Amino acid sequence: MEIVASTPFKDQKPGTSGLRKKVSVFQGKHYLENFVQSIFDTQADLAGGLLVIGGDGRYYNDTAIQKILKMAAAYGVARCLVGHKGLLSTPATSAVIRKYSANGGLVLSASHNPGGPKGDFGIKFNVSNGGPAPESVTEAIFARSQIIESYKTLSTNDIDLNTLGTQSLGNMSIEIIDPVKDYADLLETEFDFDAIRNLIAGDFRFAFDAMHAVTGPYAIELLENRLGAPNGTVINGTPLPDFGGGHPDPNLAHAKELLSMTQGNDALDFAAASDGDGDRNMILGKNCFVVPSDSLAILAANATLFPAYKNGIPGVARSMPTSQATDRVAEKLGIECFETPTGWKFFGNLLDAGRIAFCGEESFGTGSNHVREKDGLWAVLAWLNLIAKKDTSVQSILDEHWATYGRNYYVRHDYEEVESDKAKTVIDQLEAQLPKLIGSQLHGREVSYADNFSYTDPIDNSVSSHQGLRIGFSDGARLVFRLSGTGTQGATIRVYLESYEADISKQHLPCEEALSELVAIALDVSQIEAITGRKAPDVIT
Ligand code: VG1
Ligand code: CO
């Protein structure tokens, strides 16, 4: 056992989803160790307990796992479950923590951020319900990291991560587990696999893009092995440390290859993709794209088609910037609907209390109470289940939904790597205007409310304030502005735009057209162009 003296790093405050930094920062002397020791020091249950460890396979995954295992053994963790080759997707980690009643888990991932030596790395700590640590826990970890003076480790050889089975490290036992099986078994209980099998055996054609990230082995097992999809249905299925040089973010900007497979004469009926750590999803149909906010609303509206929810769901939740499409479904079904701050950690209490069964975020995140993370393949299987049961195309599922509930046109504009002080000025000057906007007209639309979103958790009454600026209009349209909490360079300004259209004859406009006036209002009130010098968003999703 070695006790290594160290001094605090000022910047170890976890963001929306764990601590995320450039790989080079994590490679810095004591950086990773300080953060991991801060987690151990604040989580007494881990001493003598069970810890799950895995990651998305990105560059530095293996090195980090070796360091963490030695520190866990030195700290006194009794047992670790580690994914084979160091791999475990975020939803699979959640499933494993829950199945084996672990005291917590560490996911090594920077999610959809690019990987490789010049890319990003991250560490997320999940608690015993399988979900991301709530704010009270991340705040305690950060506080500890600010006064840390040393960490403990063992000086010993590396563990073999490539062989399944049990090994020991000091007094700690380590089991290298199949990262796929427990998770795939769980998903099989959620959906009607026979119906999906029949769909796939017919003339239905589809593809899944794992983007060379962690989901490849999971998708091959579920879609090809268990559901009988032809070999090659899963593309880019081998996890690579640099994701093949790509950006493992499933959206229209980064999954171009897949998008093109759903367009034109020979278009596939269905296509889907997930991100670096397997918790995001993108759903495409023949010549159409399902906006994630709509996806949540549609799955909620059709929950009884899924075996696990055949008696209906108690409630739903969406993050604040996610469109209000789901609210309309909840209203009609007579179930509860919650609006939470951005980040999956805010759904945990509601799921644990049984108040909601489905939840989602506009950022390509959808999930249910089967785990406590968003789950890319869960959403993909849900859509396959839906298509099989409805026996119709993705576009007609969308059309039918909009005809019943109205359409929430939706788009997000991201301005990336903006100088931090300028991004802050955009938000501050807008926030200062909010009180006087209420009741005023902006381009002919009446502002019915304008505030900085604050959330009181209905289960533990904890309050999270300053979660994003909202401007709501009397016609159901809405603008939201917030700064990203996952970037590693400068600041990213996110502008979320939404309008509501009940008239069926106006539900098939291009999104840009339907939202063009709101874009103009957003630019006017936020002064983004004048303050940042940017002429257009970098990414539109
Ligand atoms: C983004 C998304 C948010 C999501 C988070 C983590 O956060 O907007 O909805 O929960 O990423 O997703 P931010 O703070 O950058 O807007 V993942 O797939 O990185 O775990
Ligand atoms: Co992710």
Side-chain angles (χ1 to χ4, degrees), residues 471-490:
I471 303 177
F473 299 90
S474 56
D475 61 0
R478 209 171 58 134
L479 293 173
V480 173
F481 301 81
R482 59 180 283 281
L483 299 181
S484 156
T486 57
T488 58
Q489 205 141 13

Side-chain angles (χ1 to χ4, degrees), residues 285-506:
K286 188 175 280 193
N287 297 308
C288 72
F289 161 65
V290 181
V291 173
S293 295
D294 277 346
S295 178
L296 174 65
I298 291 169
L299 297 182
N302 293 287
T304 53
L305 296 180
F306 310 126
Y309 308 99
K310 61 177 190 300
N311 299 321
I313 51 176
V316 285
R318 61 166 174 84
S319 69
M320 183 273 279
T322 304
S323 98
Q324 300 158 101
T326 298
D327 306 30
R328 294 181 184 273
V329 172
E331 200 184 338
K332 192 153 193 166
L333 295 179
I335 59 174
E336 285 197 285
C337 182
F338 299 88
E339 183 177 40
T340 57
T342 296
W344 211 261
K345 55 178 169 255
F346 295 103
F347 295 132
N349 279 348
L350 294 167
L351 289 163
D352 285 351
R355 297 280 286 271
I356 60 167
F358 289 7
C359 43
E361 298 191 90
E362 52 63 44
S363 55
F364 298 78
T366 327
S368 85
N369 58 5
H370 70 296
V371 290
R372 293 292 179 272
E373 288 277 7
K374 55 187 184 265
D375 187 343
L377 274 169
W378 181 91
V380 175
L381 292 173
W383 270 89
L384 287 170
N385 192 142
L386 193 61
I387 296 165
K389 286 290 194 184
K390 288 202 170 260
D391 192 21
T392 187
S393 67
V394 175
Q395 183 66 59
S396 55
I397 292 174
L398 287 172
D399 292 347
E400 187 199 313
H401 187 87
W402 297 335
T404 310
Y405 296 95
R407 177 172 182 184
N408 288 71
Y409 281 105
Y410 190 84
V411 77
R412 183 176 104 185
H413 288 187
D414 290 337
Y415 296 80
E416 297 182 332
E417 295 183 28
V418 174
E419 289 156 71
S420 299
D421 54 337
K422 290 184 176 165
K424 192 171 174 298
T425 305
V426 169
I427 298 294
D428 288 351
Q429 68 82 26
L430 180 56
E431 183 166 11
Q433 291 180 55
L434 294 182
K436 69 169 195 294
L437 285 181
I438 302 168
S440 73
Q441 301 274 325
L442 295 175
H443 296 229
R445 278 188 151 99
E446 189 192 331
V447 177
S448 45
Y449 63 91
D451 62 8
N452 195 335
F453 180 59
S454 175
Y455 177 66
T456 304
D457 186 297
I459 312 299
D460 66 13
N461 295 316
S462 57
V463 177
S464 304
S465 49
H466 304 289
Q467 296 296 323
L469 308 182
R470 316 187 285 185
I471 303 177
F473 299 90
S474 56
D475 61 0
R478 209 171 58 134
L479 293 173
V480 173
F481 301 81
R482 59 180 283 281
L483 299 181
S484 156
T486 57
T488 58
Q489 205 141 13
T492 293
I493 305 172
R494 304 204 194 284
V495 184
Y496 310 78
L497 307 114
E498 170 184 3
S499 72
Y500 180 67
E501 184 54 75
D503 180 347
I504 298 182
S505 70
K506 294 183 191 152

Side-chain angles (χ1 to χ4, degrees), residues 28-357:
K29 202 168 179 193
H30 308 324
Y31 193 86
L32 176 137
E33 289 87 344
N34 270 15
F35 188 66
V36 170
Q37 188 67 48
S38 301
I39 296 173
F40 290 158
D41 288 348
T42 51
Q43 306 304 310
D45 288 358
L46 290 175
L50 173 61
L51 176 68
V52 177
I53 304 176
D56 64 10
R58 67 179 58 225
Y59 182 81
Y60 208 58
N61 198 51
D62 301 6
T63 315
I65 291 179
Q66 298 292 355
K67 286 179 189 248
I68 292 169
L69 285 172
K70 288 169 195 169
M71 289 183 64
Y75 175 68
V77 172
R79 206 173 137 220
C80 273
L81 301 179
V82 184
H84 188 225
K85 299 185 179 167
L87 296 179
L88 265 180
S89 76
T90 289
T93 307
S94 189
V96 169
I97 292 173
R98 293 169 69 77
K99 176 164 179 180
Y100 298 98
S101 305
N103 301 88
L106 291 168
V107 185
L108 308 175
S109 172
S111 189
H112 54 285
N113 296 17
K118 296 205 162 71
D120 290 347
F121 192 75
I123 302 184
K124 302 190 275 187
F125 176 60
N126 282 25
V127 292
S128 60
N129 75 348
E135 276 189 333
S136 55
V137 172
T138 54
E139 274 159 20
I141 294 169
F142 176 61
R144 176 69 197 154
S145 77
Q146 296 309 290
I147 51 169
I148 195 163
E149 289 175 340
S150 66
Y151 60 87
K152 284 189 222 157
T153 184
L154 294 190
S155 70
T156 173
N157 292 335
D158 282 357
I159 284 291
D160 172 13
L161 300 175
N162 298 325
T163 310
L164 293 170
T166 308
Q167 307 170 47
S168 60
L169 188 67
N171 294 325
M172 183 174 82
S173 117
I174 298 175
E175 254 170 81
I176 307 294
I177 60 166
D178 177 340
V180 177
K181 185 171 183 307
D182 294 320
Y183 170 80
D185 290 350
L186 175 64
L187 285 197
E188 235 183 297
T189 65
E190 285 273 302
F191 300 112
D192 188 338
F193 268 44
D194 287 334
I196 302 176
R197 236 175 248 124
N198 283 337
L199 172 77
I200 293 176
D203 54 10
F204 179 79
R205 291 167 59 238
F206 80 109
F208 176 84
D209 188 350
M211 304 188 93
H212 284 305
V214 78
T215 340
Y218 298 88
I220 290 169
E221 172 63 14
L222 281 160
L223 302 174
E224 299 185 5
N225 300 348
R226 298 197 187 191
L227 286 165
N231 287 347
T233 297
V234 176
I235 62 172
N236 301 319
T238 309
L240 297 174
D242 66 347
F243 308 119
H247 197 142
D249 195 357
N251 59 37
L252 297 177
H254 297 304
K256 290 227 164 65
E257 179 190 1
L258 190 73
L259 178 64
S260 69
M261 291 164 78
T262 60
Q263 294 171 333
N265 291 335
D266 192 33
L268 298 176
D269 299 298
F270 178 75
S274 64
D275 71 330
D277 60 331
D279 56 1
R280 294 186 176 209
N281 73 91
M282 174 171 71
I283 303 292
L284 299 163
K286 188 175 280 193
N287 297 308
C288 72
F289 161 65
V290 181
V291 173
S293 295
D294 277 346
S295 178
L296 174 65
I298 291 169
L299 297 182
N302 293 287
T304 53
L305 296 180
F306 310 126
Y309 308 99
K310 61 177 190 300
N311 299 321
I313 51 176
V316 285
R318 61 166 174 84
S319 69
M320 183 273 279
T322 304
S323 98
Q324 300 158 101
T326 298
D327 306 30
R328 294 181 184 273
V329 172
E331 200 184 338
K332 192 153 193 166
L333 295 179
I335 59 174
E336 285 197 285
C337 182
F338 299 88
E339 183 177 40
T340 57
T342 296
W344 211 261
K345 55 178 169 255
F346 295 103
F347 295 132
N349 279 348
L350 294 167
L351 289 163
D352 285 351
R355 297 280 286 271
I356 60 167

